[in-house]
Amino acid sequence: MILIMVTTGFFCSGQSSTDSVYVGTLDSTKNVQSQKPSIKLNENNFNTKYEYTESNGARIIIQNSFPKSGINYTDPNGKKYIYAVFWTQIINETFDPLELTIDFPLDSFEIPSSSGNYMRLLLPYDTMTIDKEPLYDYGLTIYFFFLDNNLHKSSSLKRTINPKDSSSFHVVTLYNHGINGTLRTGLGLLKKNLFYRINNKEIHC
């Protein structure tokens, strides 16, 4: 049985705080041992960390970033949006390949606590790497070209994450006006189903 633990960190006045809560279980029949991958990153750079852990130490870890940017984007028809860039890292600390498939819906949805503000989720083609973390927009360099050509298309991602390895990817949130308060997102797993949380709203993907 794999136990899902969510660790959420947030910042206020230069100080950090961490809360932990159990949110579900994930069945597993594999008998494996855990080894940490070589990739290291300051965990204070992540907003949420999900750990799916077996009793023998085998783990899948999902880490979700804080947002960057929030700059205006104008589509080819002149409609204005605001965007923010996030990124997610998935670490496979097992002996088995992890097949990852994410499908974001084409339709936009209303943002919780921001009435009349609608959001789209998009997965750019750029590959996120740890060295891009301190860069503007997390090193995403083709987002205007990508948005121009994918604004009205569904967005998906498929990857195989080998044992003792990790994979990272950008997520662009696109919405039609500014948000009152903070915007926090993150990928999570409940049983074998992925979801992407935007504040208190869960999008099954």
Side-chain angles (χ1 to χ4, degrees), residues 11-185:
F11 291 88
C12 181
S13 301
Q15 297 181 343
S16 64
S17 177
T18 300
D19 298 323
S20 297
V21 57
Y22 296 109
V23 298
T25 58
L26 177 68
D27 292 330
S28 174
T29 59
K30 301 296 184 181
N31 183 19
V32 296
Q33 296 178 349
S34 175
Q35 296 178 7
K36 292 186 178 180
S38 59
I39 295 175
K40 294 184 182 297
L41 187 67
N42 186 346
E43 291 194 358
N44 289 332
N45 294 337
F46 292 109
N47 174 47
T48 56
K49 176 182 178 181
Y50 294 68
E51 291 189 6
Y52 307 83
T53 306
E54 288 187 324
S55 59
N56 58 10
R59 297 190 301 172
I60 295 172
I61 301 170
I62 302 177
Q63 295 171 303
N64 299 291
S65 76
F66 290 94
K68 278 193 177 182
S69 74
I71 307 300
N72 294 327
Y73 159 71
T74 303
D75 73 11
N77 296 319
K79 185 174 181 180
K80 296 185 180 298
Y81 298 87
I82 295 176
Y83 77 90
V85 180
F86 298 80
W87 72 282
T88 293
Q89 175 177 252
I90 301 176
I91 302 172
N92 181 10
E93 293 190 345
T94 76
F95 289 133
D96 299 298
L98 175 65
E99 301 294 336
L100 174 67
T101 300
I102 300 174
D103 292 299
F104 283 147
L106 175 60
D107 295 335
S108 58
F109 52 88
E110 193 169 29
I111 302 172
S113 72
S114 186
S115 178
N117 200 355
Y118 289 85
M119 175 182 286
R120 282 284 317 283
L121 297 172
L122 299 116
L123 294 159
Y125 305 135
D126 272 17
T127 298
M128 174 64 190
T129 54
I130 299 301
D131 60 294
K132 295 181 181 180
E133 198 279 335
L135 301 180
Y136 182 79
D137 284 352
Y138 295 122
L140 186 60
T141 58
I142 62 168
Y143 52 88
F144 283 161
F145 174 81
F146 171 80
L147 292 175
D148 287 348
N149 289 276
N150 293 273
L151 185 60
H152 302 294
K153 300 177 183 177
S154 58
S155 200
S156 62
L157 178 147
K158 291 184 179 182
R159 289 186 184 175
T160 299
I161 307 175
N162 291 322
K164 318 306 179 199
D165 202 356
S166 68
S167 183
S168 302
F169 54 90
H170 297 94
V171 175
V172 175
T173 60
L174 193 68
Y175 38 101
N176 53 316
H177 60 76
I179 296 174
N180 295 325
T182 59
L183 177 65
R184 296 291 182 263
T185 73

